[in-house]
């Protein structure tokens, strides 16, 4: 849902900024690299210290680079396989830094081994969810399922909860519990999404193999028929 509606909205909003960067001679790859560096720095500098509000502010400023670089490439008319590969790869780096930052906090000052484990699960499951789609597509399957919690949902749920939880440092009572709840939601949602994609790939694989076998049988029957006609 977020990929379908929110991405389209922010793409329109950020188009003038993307055009401004193009006029200044900035390349899409540069935006991708700077955006990822900003997200990683915000996550790994602030989150392990429990500075969730300021960490989220920094990450939010840079996370929109994921939309800006693609917008720039489209305006320049030079979308490339390399750009798509770089963007996708660095997305995984940014995601790992965010959930790694949560894990470091709960392993240290947060002192909650269960939430540390949940954070690590969110990190790992997010990577695997992305891999299942990429791997399925690489073997020629459409992987025609979006899933319950994709990257956009994981980021929005986690970052909004982290930013609000950070308000506890400013005296807002009880709000710090939003982040643990969000991490559990992301963990369960990622697991459901992983199962959805695995089931989809299994079904599509079986359908593709059945179709290939049917085509092979039809070709065999046609060859046999042609051979019979030639013998006559």
């Amino acid at each position: 849902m977020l990929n379908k509606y929110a991405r389209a909205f922010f793409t329109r909003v950020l188009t003038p900024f993307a055009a401004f960067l193009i006029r200044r001679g900035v390349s899409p790859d540069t935006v991708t690299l700077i955006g990822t560096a900003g997200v990683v720095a915000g996550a790994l500098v602030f989150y392990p210290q429990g500075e969730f509000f300021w960490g989220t502010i920094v990450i939010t400023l840079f996370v929109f680079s994921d939309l800006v670089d693609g917008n720039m490439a489209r305006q320049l008319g030079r979308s490339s396989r390399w750009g798509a590969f770089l963007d996708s790869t660095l997305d995984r780096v940014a995601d790992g830094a965010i959930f790694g930052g949560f894990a470091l906090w709960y392993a240290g000052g947060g002192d909650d081994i269960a939430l540390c484990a949940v954070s690590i699960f969110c990190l790992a499951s997010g990577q695997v969810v992305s891999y299942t789609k990429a791997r399925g597509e690489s073997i020629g399957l459409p992987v025609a399922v979006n899933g319950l919690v994709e990257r956009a949902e994981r980021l929005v749920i986690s970052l909004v909860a982290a930013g609000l939880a950070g308000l506890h440092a400013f005296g807002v009572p009880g709000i710090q519990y939003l982040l643990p709840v969000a991490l559990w939601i992301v963990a369960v949602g990622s697991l459901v999404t992983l199962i959805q994609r695995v089931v989809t790939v299994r079904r599509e694989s079986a359908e593709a193999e059945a179709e290939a076998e049917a085509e092979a049988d039809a070709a065999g029957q046609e060859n046999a028929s042609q051979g019979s006609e030639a013998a006559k």
Side-chain angles (χ1 to χ4, degrees), residues 32-33 35-41 43-44 59 85-101 123 126-127 130 151 154-155:
T32 303
L33 291 167
T36 302
V39 171
V40 170
L44 297 183
I59 291 170
F85 169 80
L86 180 67
D87 187 58
S88 180
T89 300
L90 293 184
D91 281 350
R92 308 287 84 76
V93 173
D95 293 357
I98 291 170
F99 289 104
L123 189 163
Q127 308 294 326
S130 297
R151 182 173 188 259
R154 290 196 302 272
L155 286 180

Side-chain angles (χ1 to χ4, degrees), residues 118-200:
V118 172
S119 299
I120 293 173
F121 179 82
C122 289
L123 189 163
S125 60
Q127 308 294 326
V128 176
V129 164
S130 297
Y131 174 80
T132 54
K133 186 173 182 65
R135 182 56 179 152
E137 290 175 342
S138 74
I139 58 176
L141 300 175
V143 195
V145 60
N146 289 325
L148 181 64
V149 176
E150 295 190 313
R151 182 173 188 259
E153 286 80 10
R154 290 196 302 272
L155 286 180
V156 170
I157 293 170
S158 302
L159 293 179
V160 169
L164 292 175
L167 294 176
H168 180 69
F170 297 94
V172 180
I175 203 165
Q176 70 273 20
Y177 298 111
L178 282 178
L179 181 55
V181 171
L183 289 174
W184 277 106
I185 291 174
V186 171
V188 173
S190 296
L191 179 60
V192 171
T193 303
L194 177 59
I195 293 171
Q196 287 176 305
R197 289 193 173 175
V198 169
V199 169
T200 298

Side-chain angles (χ1 to χ4, degrees), residues 8-24:
F9 170 76
F10 282 110
T11 296
R12 290 194 298 270
V13 170
L14 294 171
T15 293
F17 180 61
F20 170 80
L21 292 177
I22 291 173
R23 290 195 298 271
R24 292 296 181 274

Side-chain angles (χ1 to χ4, degrees), residues 5 26-27 65 70 78 86 100 111 121 125 127 133 155 208 210 217 230:
Y5 297 107
V26 179
S27 72
S65 66
R78 63 183 195 196
L86 180 67
D111 193 25
F121 179 82
S125 60
Q127 308 294 326
K133 186 173 182 65
L155 286 180
D217 290 342

Side-chain angles (χ1 to χ4, degrees), residues 218-232:
Q221 291 175 3
E222 183 178 352
N223 291 336
S225 176
Q226 291 175 351
S228 177
E229 291 294 331
K232 291 179 180 179

